[in-house]
Amino acid sequence: MHRQLPTTAQTIDREILTPLARAAIECSTLRLETWQITTLSVQGRRTVFRFAGTGYDGVTARPWSLILKEIKAPESADAPDTDEQSWCYWPRESLLYEAGVPQSLKSGSHHSGLRSPRCFGVMEPTPDLRWIWLEDLQDCYDGDWPLERYALAAYHLGIFNGRYLTGKSMPIASWLTDKGLRSEAVNKAALERLRDPEIWAHTLLRSAFPTPVLPELERLVADRERILAGAAELPRTFCHLDAHSENMAAIKEATHGNESGAEGNSTEDHCTKDHDTEITVLFDWALSGYGAPGEEISRLVWAALLDFKVDIAEAERLEEMVFAGYIQGLTDAGWQADPAQVRYAYLMSSVFIFTLDMEAVDHAFDKDVEGLEKYYGWSQARMVEQSAQVTYLLLERADELRAMLDT
């Protein structure tokens, strides 16, 4: 079923689109005819549209397409995302593109294997609205990544983070924060719904959690400050901080030789143009800020499991491959990483972002089971079971953190 388009998207006319479409296909004389607008996603006040049509360069037909990311300000002036130091400050992504930070990766993409989509313009139609016009790209795996592709993305992220540890100037702005992890960290308020015994009486949750987890969740909240303090002396780098596969595209890009990619990753059979190099394009920079090396890869691992892109049976292998790829990327960027420090930051980010997320509870109580199963392609019971297994794994990672602190 198609969602009704917001009026702002419908008001975008030929005058606005023409220079953007010309830039997208590098044709300064393109004349636009008709176009179509498709709503790709709606997440709260963030909507992503695809504009596509056919124009003419003289008598030659030229197809074109653009992505529009529309970001609306919160209605309340007291909302958390009005604070520029908040992890979710609402205009941060548009400010980053205006400052050219994501675009700065483009010049080094053949060496790092990572870039952002091309940005054709950032607009402010009203004070409470931002439009970001971006390159339209398609993942060459159609979103179904093999484990090796996660490792390659981690390698690219390692080079990206490592460059800022070896001399590249970090972007500096008041709206870039190093408090993101603290603001996302588990807290007592997040436990309130989980303290309700009726939740755990649900048939699916009783089956998925044979060993109660609430005591361990309470313990994690109690250890919050101690764990965060353990990272106080870790190095800091500039990070994307929302790097999971749905915010990435694996694409082929022409290079002058084999200058990017991790050794041993055989990905050529999945994409066209074997002579090209596979790179990672990183979208959605809204959470970007400063973090310790290792924080960057937590979402790459756990979101893959919680979005059911990787089966729980492959969880440990996925984690090992991602961590190894990331360490290699840091090394190839010229930074000699202490694996224990990187592991600590990775674990800290993982347990604080994902442990109380408790998607097993959300899926068990979802009222639209048919829609849920259609969206993910899994049965509700299987989703609850895998999400519960992820929680158990994260609690084991919390124990590993404590052991690292103790030693």
Side-chain angles (χ1 to χ4, degrees):
M1 188 173 85
H2 294 290
R3 300 182 181 91
Q4 184 176 357
L5 292 172
T7 43
T8 47
Q10 292 174 324
T11 62
I12 293 170
D13 57 19
R14 183 174 280 100
E15 183 179 355
I16 293 174
L17 281 176
T18 296
L20 299 167
R22 286 175 173 177
I25 65 170
E26 299 179 348
C27 176
S28 62
T29 57
L30 184 71
R31 185 181 74 256
L32 268 57
E33 295 294 327
T34 60
W35 58 85
Q36 300 77 43
I37 309 172
T38 306
T39 306
L40 299 182
S41 69
V42 180
Q43 296 182 340
R45 299 187 309 276
R46 296 171 181 268
T47 307
V48 179
F49 303 98
R50 184 175 189 265
F51 286 71
T54 300
Y56 286 87
D57 178 14
V59 295
T60 304
R62 297 286 301 275
W64 60 271
S65 63
L66 295 159
I67 297 297
L68 168 61
K69 186 166 188 178
E70 180 181 79
I71 308 169
K72 296 178 181 178
E75 295 181 2
S76 171
D78 297 326
D81 49 353
T82 60
D83 179 1
E84 64 180 17
Q85 284 294 293
S86 170
W87 65 278
C88 57
Y89 182 48
W90 78 272
R92 182 178 291 122
E93 184 173 20
S94 64
L95 292 169
L96 275 167
Y97 274 109
E98 285 182 327
V101 174
Q103 302 94 305
S104 70
L105 298 180
K106 175 63 178 173
S107 61
S109 64
H110 297 335
H111 302 285
S112 69
L114 185 77
R115 72 168 175 90
S116 68
R118 288 186 294 157
C119 180
F120 305 114
V122 178
M123 300 179 183
E124 187 176 337
T126 65
D128 59 353
L129 188 65
R130 301 291 187 275
W131 288 344
I132 308 174
W133 293 94
L134 299 168
E135 179 181 11
D136 185 16
L137 295 168
Q138 300 297 318
D139 182 84
C140 62
Y141 296 86
D142 197 24
D144 186 17
W145 285 12
L147 295 190
E148 292 79 8
R149 191 59 186 78
Y150 288 92
L152 181 58
Y155 174 77
H156 294 156
L157 290 168
I159 295 178
F160 166 56
N161 292 162
R163 291 278 172 82
Y164 292 103
L165 294 162
T166 55
K168 183 176 180 178
S169 297
M170 287 203 288
I172 298 174
S174 59
W175 36 265
L176 288 174
T177 179
D178 62 358
K179 299 178 181 177
L181 187 57
R182 176 172 288 277
S183 64
E184 284 193 290
V186 291
N187 53 63
K188 293 180 181 179
L191 277 174
E192 287 305 314
R193 70 166 181 160
L194 301 177
R195 288 174 174 148
D196 182 355
E198 290 188 10
I199 284 179
W200 304 106
H202 192 289
T203 302
L204 289 175
L205 294 175
R206 284 205 315 269
S207 174
F209 290 100
T211 303
V213 294
L214 187 57
E216 287 301 309
L217 298 177
E218 299 273 11
R219 183 185 174 205
L220 181 58
V221 170
D223 287 342
R224 174 180 183 267
E225 292 303 320
R226 178 177 172 236
I227 291 171
L228 286 170
E233 301 303 319
L234 296 181
R236 311 299 286 174
T237 186
F238 180 65
C239 303
H240 179 275
L241 295 176
D242 200 13
H244 56 86
S245 64
E246 291 195 351
N247 281 341
M248 298 176 174
I251 70 168
K252 286 289 188 174
E253 189 163 275
T255 61
H256 302 292
N258 186 18
E259 296 172 335
S260 68
E263 274 189 23
N265 286 323
S266 179
T267 56
E268 300 296 329
D269 291 341
H270 296 273
C271 306
T272 59
K273 298 183 180 178
D274 290 346
H275 62 280
D276 288 348
T277 297
E278 187 172 322
I279 69 167
T280 302
V281 181
L282 196 49
F283 306 98
D284 200 345
W285 293 75
L287 306 187
S288 299
Y290 312 115
E295 290 184 40
E296 190 79 283
I297 54 172
S298 62
R299 282 180 165 87
L300 190 59
V301 173
W302 302 102
L305 296 166
L306 290 170
D307 289 337
F308 314 114
K309 294 179 178 295
V310 177
D311 189 90
I312 194 68
E314 299 279 10
E316 306 247 355
R317 183 165 174 249
L318 170 67
E319 189 177 45
E320 290 172 2
M321 292 175 69
V322 164
F323 191 79
Y326 183 72
I327 291 289
Q328 188 62 55
L330 291 171
T331 301
D332 287 359
W335 192 65
Q336 297 305 309
D338 178 343
Q341 288 186 337
V342 176
R343 178 75 177 173
Y344 188 93
Y346 159 73
L347 292 172
M348 178 181 63
S349 178
S350 298
V351 300
F352 282 155
I353 293 172
F354 291 100
T355 307
L356 264 74
D357 199 31
M358 296 301 290
E359 291 193 20
V361 174
D362 295 337
H363 294 326
F365 285 93
D366 197 303
K367 294 180 180 179
D368 182 14
V369 175
E370 182 179 354
L372 180 73
E373 293 182 339
K374 182 178 180 181
Y375 181 80
Y376 286 111
W378 284 29
S379 70
Q380 182 188 33
R382 186 183 177 194
M383 284 185 273
V384 171
E385 177 65 26
Q386 170 139 326
S387 299
Q389 291 301 311
V390 167
T391 298
Y392 282 126
L393 286 177
L394 286 164
L395 290 173
E396 290 178 11
R397 303 302 180 268
D399 285 339
E400 184 181 344
L401 267 176
R402 296 184 185 99
M404 294 179 80
L405 279 173
D406 291 341
T407 57

